[in-house]
Amino acid sequence: VDSVRMGQPVAMNGVVHQEYYVGPAGKVHPLPDGVSPEAASLSYLAGWSVSALHLGRYAAAETVAVVGLGLVGASAALVADMMGARVIGIDVAPERVERAATFGLTAVVQGGQGDTDALIADAAGPRGVDLVLETSGAWSGFEQAFSVCREYSRIALMGLYRRKPSAEYALKLHQMLYG
């Protein structure tokens, strides 16, 4: 690699969570002055969010619901907002809802409450939710994403489901999806 010097902070595209890496030099990019390695390590989130919106066929001014407002969901909500979406953020954790309320989104709703779907429907307006970005990686988040859809809504899954659902929950999800 000729474009960087030994010890210079770099970012690498397409390489995740590795202390050491051997690969093409074209994947190595020096960090600009003033950009810390910590800040650079989060830069993939915006690109991932744009990709999810693209794969979800987002069109300008649509209503996008983001289920899960952790690091991935907060990024997705902010990117969708910057792309002109009406964004409804949804999370079960009160502290994430409180933080997201400062983002300037169309609405932020605490999930897991008895009136969650009604609050989301009210925020979405008569047309409803066009696209849902499910970022929580929890099966209950997937269920929430499905519950806010109208006919022809789309769901883009960004969450990583690390555990299989229980047999009972898998049956419930199957019934939700296929009747």
Side-chain angles (χ1 to χ4, degrees), residues 47-151:
W48 187 15
S49 299
V50 169
S51 179
L53 287 161
H54 175 74
L55 292 171
R57 297 188 331 269
Y58 168 73
E62 284 189 321
T63 298
V64 175
V66 178
V67 178
L69 295 170
L71 192 59
V72 173
S75 173
L78 290 168
V79 168
D81 182 63
M82 286 187 276
M83 291 178 69
R86 296 181 69 246
V87 181
I88 302 167
I90 308 160
D91 202 294
V92 295
E95 64 277 5
R96 289 180 177 179
V97 169
E98 186 177 319
R99 182 181 62 239
T102 68
F103 295 170
L105 306 177
T106 302
V108 180
V109 176
Q110 184 166 349
Q113 308 298 311
D115 58 351
T116 300
D117 288 348
L119 290 170
I120 295 166
D122 185 52
R127 182 175 160 84
V129 173
D130 299 296
L131 173 62
V132 182
L133 302 178
E134 201 300 299
T135 70
S136 74
W139 290 109
S140 58
F142 180 84
E143 183 178 356
Q144 179 71 73
F146 188 79
S147 75
V148 303
C149 288
R150 59 169 170 74
E151 191 171 0

Side-chain angles (χ1 to χ4, degrees), residues 138-144 165-174 176:
W139 290 109
S140 58
F142 180 84
E143 183 178 356
Q144 179 71 73
S166 67
E168 295 82 16
Y169 203 76
L171 180 60
K172 180 180 180 180
L173 291 172
H174 185 272
M176 285 172 44

